[in-house]
Amino acid sequence: MYRFIRLLIREMLTKEGRFRMRFFLIRNLPGESGFYIRKQVLSKRFGSVGKNIRVDHGLQIRNIDKMYIGDNVILGVDNFFQAGGCIEIGDETIFGPSARVWSQNHKFDDPDLPIREKGYDYKKVVIGKRVWIGANTFIMPGAELGDGCIVSACAVVGAKKFPSNSILAGNPARFIGKREHKEETDNSES
């Protein structure tokens, strides 16, 4: 018990340790008060953050200072972001429950070394404006989603660049359709 108390005190003496403890206490608070307090605590830690973000319960973030978030973004229930390689999220983007976004991965090229000793590869993830990331998706390091993309539930998006308004599904995620502006569909029906 004494060792645990020493570790706890040591952690509380660092800025990062105090943040982790504070966030642990608020990450699952229910209701509007939970949304409010998570936004207040996290907004000071992001690389940059727009106005009117919503942070649902259960969120986990690593390297929060390398996340850049636009206006009116919704970070969903139980989302997990690993931002070591940088994550940019555009305005009006929403994340469904249990979505994951990774911008770093273990190096694994030399089979003679244990994975934990190899270090990491870092690749920026860029998610455009008005993107909808479905439930249980996984976005891998290096992925780029243009404005207006939709990623269906359970898709795994690899390190590719997808054009604006793409609809993606599957594992690996692939282009299955394109969202069209209302004027385009009206003109094609004539």
Side-chain angles (χ1 to χ4, degrees), residues 76-108:
V77 174
D78 293 328
N79 289 170
F80 195 130
F81 297 90
Q82 173 44 279
C86 184
I87 298 173
E88 291 181 3
I89 302 169
D91 300 342
E92 308 286 338
T93 291
I94 62 174
F95 291 84
S98 299
R100 310 284 191 249
V101 180
W102 252 237
S103 65
Q104 75 182 55
N105 199 4
H106 291 279
K107 292 180 181 179
F108 52 86

Side-chain angles (χ1 to χ4, degrees), residues 31-71:
E32 293 300 318
S33 60
F35 295 134
Y36 175 80
I37 194 72
R38 283 187 293 275
K39 176 183 171 183
Q40 296 305 312
V41 170
L42 293 176
S43 290
K44 298 171 184 150
R45 300 295 304 242
F46 288 115
S48 70
V49 64
K51 53 188 177 194
N52 300 323
I53 69 160
R54 180 180 171 118
V55 181
D56 274 304
H57 64 274
L59 177 73
Q60 294 186 62
I61 302 175
R62 303 287 183 268
N63 306 103
I64 190 170
D65 58 319
K66 295 179 182 176
M67 275 188 76
Y68 301 88
I69 299 176
D71 297 335

Side-chain angles (χ1 to χ4, degrees), residues 5-176:
I5 293 170
R6 279 190 10 230
L7 290 170
L8 184 63
I9 291 170
R10 187 177 329 151
E11 193 158 359
M12 294 303 289
L13 292 175
T14 68
K15 183 178 178 181
E16 185 63 26
R18 287 188 301 274
F19 167 72
R20 283 196 304 258
M21 291 293 181
R22 202 168 41 244
F23 189 64
F24 172 79
L25 295 173
I26 65 167
R27 93 179 254 257
N28 288 312
L29 285 175
E32 293 300 318
S33 60
F35 295 134
Y36 175 80
I37 194 72
R38 283 187 293 275
K39 176 183 171 183
Q40 296 305 312
V41 170
L42 293 176
S43 290
K44 298 171 184 150
R45 300 295 304 242
F46 288 115
S48 70
V49 64
K51 53 188 177 194
N52 300 323
I53 69 160
R54 180 180 171 118
V55 181
D56 274 304
H57 64 274
L59 177 73
Q60 294 186 62
I61 302 175
R62 303 287 183 268
N63 306 103
I64 190 170
D65 58 319
K66 295 179 182 176
M67 275 188 76
Y68 301 88
I69 299 176
D71 297 335
N72 304 309
V73 169
I74 298 174
L75 304 177
V77 174
D78 293 328
N79 289 170
F80 195 130
F81 297 90
Q82 173 44 279
C86 184
I87 298 173
E88 291 181 3
I89 302 169
D91 300 342
E92 308 286 338
T93 291
I94 62 174
F95 291 84
S98 299
R100 310 284 191 249
V101 180
W102 252 237
S103 65
Q104 75 182 55
N105 199 4
H106 291 279
K107 292 180 181 179
F108 52 86
D109 50 347
D110 183 354
D112 294 328
L113 284 175
I115 296 289
R116 70 179 177 274
E117 294 178 13
K118 291 178 180 278
Y120 296 95
D121 282 324
Y122 300 92
K123 295 180 182 170
K124 183 179 189 178
V125 172
V126 178
I127 299 171
K129 297 177 182 178
R130 299 173 315 282
V131 174
W132 176 19
I133 308 293
N136 294 307
T137 57
F138 196 102
I139 299 176
M140 301 291 289
E144 291 185 40
L145 300 171
D147 294 346
C149 285
I150 294 177
V151 181
S152 73
C154 300
V156 177
V157 180
K160 294 181 180 177
K161 185 173 184 174
F162 293 95
S164 294
N165 298 314
S166 295
I167 301 172
L168 310 173
N171 179 4
R174 50 199 173 276
F175 178 87
I176 62 165

